[in-house]
Amino acid sequence: MSARGVLRALPTMLRVGFAESIAYRAEMFVWVLSTTMPLVNMVLWMAVSKDAPVGNYGQVDFVSYFLATFAVRQLTSAWAAWLINWEVKQGTLAMRLLRPVSPLWAYASENVAGFPMRVVVAVPVVLVSVALVGADKAVPQHAWGWALFLLAVLGGWAITFLANVAIGALSLFMDSSQKMMEVWMVLFFVCSGYMYPVELLPAGLRAVIDWLPFRYQMGLPVELMTSAHDLPTALGLLARQWAWVLGMGVLAVTLWKQGVKRFAAFGG
């Protein structure tokens, strides 16, 4: 289908996706409960920094950081890998392939359509953060800070979604790629800033992480939300983030197209 056709179909797909997110709101609530690890980490790091700051982080800084992490996690998550794995295994992917719009657009619209529900969860957490640590540590202080933060959230979601598609597409080459997704998630927890601020890592390890995609899924949006960088540094990190978006996009589309050819051969 042409780009014009996709744009015409997109509002309908978003409406359907939003209706599904409303219908499955109970499942979403359970998912939100499963992402409370930042709150646990916040308590642990507050205890660690009780007597003295850890790096540049005191107790207030850890509260600000991990509440921002919890909020950003709600906005940048994607689950396409699990859905693709399930549909390949069940054979229901064939139904999507019969539609005129690429399944990748459908997966993306279903994910994006859940944003309003996730914002409902994230906004109160941000307000609590403002009340606890003050607006200067909880949210960006300049208009450019808000713009870069929103761009970083979009980039973080894009990397997460495209990585999901790439790993999910591997299920078209093997029985299941869920173990690959589990490995990716472990690396995400270690390298993204989800468990601790990347700044606390040794300089050599942090330099390596700066060139991996995981920090740009989570750490960068959180750092921009808490005003951790000046404008030149933020722009440099955003450039790296969107380079990863581009790279992940090429990888995901390539794997998907090659994998679908194998799926057609199987189905025939």
Side-chain angles (χ1 to χ4, degrees):
M1 176 176 275
S2 65
R4 186 177 179 183
V6 171
L7 289 175
R8 191 179 301 167
L10 207 52
T12 301
M13 291 193 293
L14 290 173
R15 281 197 297 272
V16 172
F18 181 69
E20 288 181 347
S21 67
I22 295 292
Y24 295 104
R25 56 189 180 277
E27 283 81 356
M28 182 178 175
F29 178 70
V30 173
W31 177 79
V32 168
L33 293 179
S34 72
T35 60
T36 53
M37 182 57 74
L39 305 182
V40 177
N41 290 331
M42 180 181 72
V43 175
L44 291 175
W45 282 101
M46 285 177 65
V48 171
S49 60
K50 181 180 179 180
D51 297 324
V54 180
N56 294 325
Y57 286 81
Q59 284 188 310
V60 171
D61 301 302
F62 279 122
V63 171
S64 169
Y65 183 88
F66 284 111
L67 289 181
T69 301
F70 181 85
V72 169
R73 175 77 163 142
Q74 310 309 314
L75 303 176
T76 58
S77 296
W79 51 84
W82 288 275
L83 189 57
I84 294 172
N85 266 278
W86 188 84
E87 291 188 347
V88 170
K89 188 173 293 185
Q90 297 297 317
T92 53
L93 178 62
M95 298 299 293
R96 287 191 187 266
L97 293 173
L98 290 174
R99 298 171 185 168
V101 180
S102 167
L104 298 187
W105 285 108
Y107 294 134
S109 63
E110 290 169 9
N111 205 156
V112 170
F115 267 42
M117 294 288 288
R118 293 192 263 173
V119 168
V120 168
V121 176
V123 168
V125 175
V126 175
L127 295 177
V128 168
S129 182
V130 170
L132 291 177
V133 304
D136 59 324
K137 289 183 177 292
V139 293
Q141 297 302 295
H142 307 285
W144 62 262
W146 278 104
L148 297 187
F149 164 68
L150 294 175
L151 199 57
V153 168
L154 179 60
W157 173 81
I159 292 174
T160 305
F161 173 74
L162 292 169
N164 266 255
V165 170
I167 295 172
L170 292 177
S171 64
L172 294 160
F173 297 88
M174 55 183 75
D175 288 340
S176 171
S177 62
Q178 287 193 359
K179 293 298 181 184
M180 293 288 292
M181 193 63 208
E182 291 174 10
V183 171
W184 176 275
M185 290 302 297
V186 169
L187 293 172
F188 167 79
F189 288 138
V190 173
C191 302
S192 69
Y194 186 66
M195 305 293 287
Y196 40 76
V198 173
E199 187 181 330
L200 298 182
L201 294 172
L205 183 56
R206 193 168 66 241
V208 173
I209 287 177
D210 281 348
W211 289 101
L212 299 177
F214 308 104
R215 179 184 181 186
Y216 305 104
Q217 290 181 261
M218 176 63 62
L220 179 59
V222 171
E223 291 158 13
L224 293 181
M225 186 172 179
T226 54
S227 304
H229 300 299
D230 56 22
L231 181 57
T233 305
L235 289 174
L237 291 170
L238 270 175
R240 291 188 186 185
Q241 182 192 47
W242 281 89
W244 269 110
V245 172
L246 181 61
M248 279 292 180
V250 172
L251 177 64
V253 171
T254 302
L255 286 174
W256 175 261
K257 287 184 175 178
Q258 295 301 317
V260 165
K261 291 178 183 177
R262 293 173 59 88
F263 181 79
F266 250 90

